[in-house]
Amino acid sequence: MSNEDISKEELTKERTPLELLKWVEGKLGQIESTEEGERTIRLHIGLAKQLMEEVYPLAIFGCRKFGDTDQILMQPVISNRSYDAVVTDVRSKPASQSYVEITQSLEGENDYLRRLVLQEQGIVFGHGDVTKKGTKKTGLQVSVKPNVNSGDIAGNELNRIVDAAKRKAGRDYPTNTSLIIVFDDDRFFQRHIDDAILDAFFRKCILPLDLRFSTLYLVGWKNVFREFSLVKRNYPL
């Protein structure tokens, strides 16, 4: 993929939620139409990393939170600032701005290794133990053993959500900044975790953390969307 396939200027352009989602989906289709581009997206190379890990989740969040409206403008931020996007609300005068920080419930290196197997073999088990032998210099060999215990899969995903939240704990952010945690709400997760369980999980495992945000959003890649205030107050247990 050439450097011209994704530019910082188009990544950070201000768009409505639906415009942003349509742009991301169109850009992915364009890039993945070639083998080199497909590899770039799968391995999150260059600005594809920001596209897949920040801008795409932002677009999904925006459409689920605000729907199809031209009164909300979302602008991704590619910099060293303590937030990943600016959201401008023009529904009232004067317009107001808020900020969002985006993270994902990833497996660390194993997430990359799964994507590497997908690139090399065209298919990979989404769950299970990842085994790595060797290095990039000596020759890297990766295998993924499947795990079909749906209860374990759902529980592991909840643990990764907590880990993602902990990575953002104890840090200061601008006033009116929200945290978005994107996670894998596949059929195994949704088979065991409903909204009531997810709400109880938030109260027990996430609310006690030192998260200095106004709001937390749990956003599944498929369809789960939950919003929680992080203002410390007495939640029912």
Side-chain angles (χ1 to χ4, degrees), residues 14-75:
E14 190 176 63
R15 298 177 172 91
T16 69
L18 187 57
E19 286 174 344
L20 183 59
L21 183 60
K22 288 183 175 179
W23 176 79
V24 170
E25 291 174 342
K27 178 59 65 171
L28 288 176
Q30 171 194 334
I31 297 172
E32 291 178 324
S33 64
T34 67
E35 290 186 3
E36 181 184 2
E38 186 175 64
R39 176 178 180 273
T40 297
I41 293 298
R42 284 177 173 175
L43 300 184
H44 297 190
I45 297 172
L47 287 175
K49 177 178 176 64
Q50 283 77 19
L51 177 66
M52 296 301 296
E53 297 180 11
E54 298 174 10
V55 182
Y56 196 4
L58 176 67
I60 294 173
F61 158 78
C63 287
R64 294 191 192 160
K65 170 67 174 175
F66 302 109
D68 182 7
T69 176
D70 61 359
Q71 300 297 295
I72 299 293
L73 300 173
M74 312 184 78
Q75 183 173 25

Side-chain angles (χ1 to χ4, degrees), residues 9-214:
E9 289 72 25
E10 63 180 343
L11 269 180
T12 57
K13 181 179 177 180
E14 190 176 63
R15 298 177 172 91
T16 69
L18 187 57
E19 286 174 344
L20 183 59
L21 183 60
K22 288 183 175 179
W23 176 79
V24 170
E25 291 174 342
K27 178 59 65 171
L28 288 176
Q30 171 194 334
I31 297 172
E32 291 178 324
S33 64
T34 67
E35 290 186 3
E36 181 184 2
E38 186 175 64
R39 176 178 180 273
T40 297
I41 293 298
R42 284 177 173 175
L43 300 184
H44 297 190
I45 297 172
L47 287 175
K49 177 178 176 64
Q50 283 77 19
L51 177 66
M52 296 301 296
E53 297 180 11
E54 298 174 10
V55 182
Y56 196 4
L58 176 67
I60 294 173
F61 158 78
C63 287
R64 294 191 192 160
K65 170 67 174 175
F66 302 109
D68 182 7
T69 176
D70 61 359
Q71 300 297 295
I72 299 293
L73 300 173
M74 312 184 78
Q75 183 173 25
V77 174
I78 309 298
S79 71
N80 293 324
R81 297 180 185 178
S82 57
Y83 51 87
D84 295 317
V86 178
V87 178
T88 302
D89 187 341
V90 299
R91 291 175 293 188
S92 60
K93 303 298 181 182
S96 62
Q97 284 192 333
S98 58
Y99 309 95
V100 294
E101 175 74 354
I102 303 165
T103 190
Q104 297 188 36
S105 62
L106 302 177
E107 297 180 82
E109 184 186 30
N110 283 355
D111 179 72
Y112 169 78
L113 294 175
R114 286 183 198 278
R115 290 186 275 111
L116 186 63
V117 171
L118 176 63
Q119 174 59 28
E120 294 178 347
Q121 302 180 12
I123 188 171
V124 65
F125 292 110
H127 306 284
D129 298 328
V130 178
T131 303
K132 179 184 75 169
K133 294 181 180 180
T135 64
K136 290 182 179 180
K137 181 179 293 187
T138 62
L140 188 61
Q141 295 180 327
V142 182
S143 62
V144 181
K145 182 180 179 181
N147 177 0
V148 294
N149 187 319
S150 59
D152 288 347
I153 291 170
N156 290 340
E157 191 62 28
L158 290 178
N159 290 335
R160 285 191 286 269
I161 291 173
V162 174
D163 290 341
K166 287 181 177 178
R167 290 195 295 269
K168 300 299 180 179
R171 302 181 185 182
D172 290 323
Y173 294 88
T175 301
N176 205 23
T177 299
S178 297
L179 175 63
I180 299 171
I181 299 180
V182 184
F183 66 98
D184 185 5
D185 59 335
D186 63 10
R187 68 184 188 277
F188 301 114
F189 183 90
Q190 295 189 55
R191 182 181 301 168
H192 293 273
I193 309 297
D194 60 16
D195 287 349
I197 293 175
L198 203 53
D199 291 355
F201 158 78
F202 161 77
R203 293 192 297 269
K204 179 180 179 180
C205 300
I206 296 182
L207 187 63
L209 300 177
D210 181 18
L211 293 173
R212 301 170 189 178
F213 299 92
S214 59

Side-chain angles (χ1 to χ4, degrees), residues 183 194-196 198-199 216-220 224-228:
F183 66 98
D194 60 16
D195 287 349
L198 203 53
D199 291 355
L216 168 70
Y217 296 93
L218 297 182
V219 181
V224 173
F225 183 87
R226 302 299 291 163
E227 176 178 346
F228 303 98

